[in-house]
Amino acid sequence: MLSVFAIRCILLVLSLTPSLVHLNIANFSTALYRASFPENQPITTPVLELELQVFIPSLSPFVTISLQGYLKSHFLLTKDDIIRCAVVLDRENTSQYNLTAVALYNNTIIAQTNVSIEIKDVNDNAPTCQDTFYSVEVMETFILDSLLILQSRDVDEGTNSLITYQTKD
């Protein structure tokens, strides 16, 4: 157990230093959190839970966790340290999010960890063609070679992007 004097010294150092990660005041349970889940999940869908251990119990009630990084606004961090979707995530727009979770005491970083979130593809996009209607006229004497070249594109990934063509009479 730390003395009151030792705690006051730590608090003084905390108030003067922008980052105290090296003092080992607190640690996340892992250096890298990874999550993977399907796109188009409803808002507030849980993504992953952060675990922080604060080694000075008297500081615990005053430590907060926040997310940093590009597109951090796509996620919510709830009071129970669960990262949730703040928007419906679309893999075709962004397939990977790399964020940093930081533990703060008095606006000073006391611990940090990386968060990697992969968005999996679902078959949610129809193939698109350059034109919407194709018409071909063939004479009876035509020797079959190549009648029409039809190109289409599906922005889904993997087997979700495979396209099958059918003709109708």
Side-chain angles (χ1 to χ4, degrees):
M1 186 78 172
L2 292 173
S3 70
V4 172
F5 175 74
I7 290 174
R8 284 187 181 154
C9 288
I10 290 170
L11 295 178
L12 175 63
V13 170
L14 285 173
S15 66
L16 299 175
T17 311
S19 175
L20 295 173
V21 173
H22 62 280
L23 289 182
N24 203 22
I25 294 170
N27 272 337
F28 285 96
S29 64
T30 183
L32 174 62
Y33 286 86
R34 291 183 188 271
S36 181
F37 67 99
E39 65 181 322
N40 302 326
Q41 296 301 303
I43 293 173
T44 72
T45 297
V47 177
L48 62 85
E49 182 176 2
L50 299 172
E51 294 179 37
L52 177 71
Q53 183 179 6
V54 180
F55 301 116
I56 303 172
S58 59
L59 295 183
S60 268
F62 306 105
V63 173
T64 59
I65 300 175
S66 67
L67 293 175
Q68 298 178 345
Y70 180 65
L71 297 177
K72 69 178 181 182
S73 61
H74 288 187
F75 300 94
L76 305 167
L77 182 60
T78 57
K79 290 180 182 181
D80 53 358
D81 301 332
I82 295 176
I83 298 175
R84 297 176 181 273
C85 297
V87 298
V88 175
L89 301 171
D90 185 1
R91 188 213 53 90
E92 287 76 25
N93 291 331
T94 306
S95 62
Q96 182 82 28
Y97 294 86
N98 294 304
L99 307 170
T100 302
V102 294
L104 300 165
Y105 173 79
N106 199 22
N107 291 325
T108 301
I109 298 173
I110 60 171
Q112 67 183 34
T113 189
N114 296 313
V115 177
S116 177
I117 302 168
E118 175 192 20
I119 310 304
K120 292 185 195 172
D121 187 46
V122 298
N123 196 4
D124 61 338
N125 294 288
T128 57
C129 294
Q130 204 168 15
D131 296 315
T132 56
F133 181 76
Y134 295 86
S135 176
V136 176
E137 291 183 27
V138 180
M139 298 183 144
E140 288 182 28
T141 58
F142 178 77
I143 298 173
L144 186 61
D145 180 22
S146 142
L147 187 61
L148 172 71
I149 296 175
L150 179 64
Q151 291 183 329
S152 57
R153 181 172 183 263
D154 189 327
V155 294
D156 285 314
E157 184 176 64
T159 58
N160 291 335
S161 67
L162 298 177
I163 300 170
T164 302
Y165 296 97
Q166 294 178 337
T167 57
K168 293 184 179 182
D169 292 332

